[in-house]
Amino acid sequence: MQGLFNEPIDLNLPDSTIRYYPKFLAPEKATEYFNSLKDRVVWQQDNIKVFGKVHAQPRLTALYANNELPYSYSNIKMTPHQFTEELLRLKNKIEDIADCEFTTCLLNLYRDGRDSNGWHADNEKELGKNPIIASISLGAERFFNLKHNTDPELKTKILLEHGSLLLMQGKTQHFWKHQIPKTAKPIGERINLTFRIIE
């Protein structure tokens, strides 16, 4: 049963179903998860090609799953590690809200404000027709920007808090792109866990 303080905020954006749970994890529990995941996850830094030039991806990543299915995006192909007990606990907690069974978790470690994730949609074919993406934020707060694909007036941003959950589903990925922009402000580390279903 979800407590009163974990009631979702519906972003009420056209062509989307996006809900935000600011208090998904208690602060002390979120800090425990952050510290443990930072130390225990097998982080990697892949190269990415942008406008014909190869750069180190501006964040660290890791892929975990309950299967051996790879995940590919931006010409990067990742092979999963098996879910840890901690990731399974978080997965089960999200599934109670999302009413689905996730197979895979892509994790991102943003080391400081220079680390970022550019405009994109989670619309890879292996995610299915209407992907459901459940995103947990741990550590430093970062802005999450959204913009509509065809209406430049439709855009917004939300500050993702420590221990929060953002749930995107339905036709969201068909109509919206999102990003974590760079910031010049001094800012601490952030871990983002994005649970998804690989078909």
Side-chain angles (χ1 to χ4, degrees), residues 25-41 43 86 90 107-111 136-141 162-163 188-193:
L25 295 172
E28 62 275 8
K29 181 59 69 174
T31 299
E32 282 180 26
Y33 276 118
F34 174 88
N35 290 331
S36 180
L37 291 169
K38 186 192 170 188
D39 290 340
R40 297 182 183 178
V41 164
W43 298 105
E86 284 175 308
L90 288 170
L107 297 93
N108 296 286
L109 172 57
Y110 298 85
R111 296 159 293 183
I136 297 176
S137 294
L138 304 171
E141 297 178 344
H162 180 48
E189 295 172 308
R190 171 182 182 259
I191 292 175
N192 170 231
L193 302 88

Side-chain angles (χ1 to χ4, degrees), residues 57-76:
Q57 201 171 24
R59 62 190 180 279
L60 305 184
T61 60
L63 189 70
Y64 284 76
N66 60 11
N67 55 44
E68 297 180 357
L69 296 176
Y71 179 55
S72 299
Y73 67 96
S74 300
N75 294 316
I76 295 171

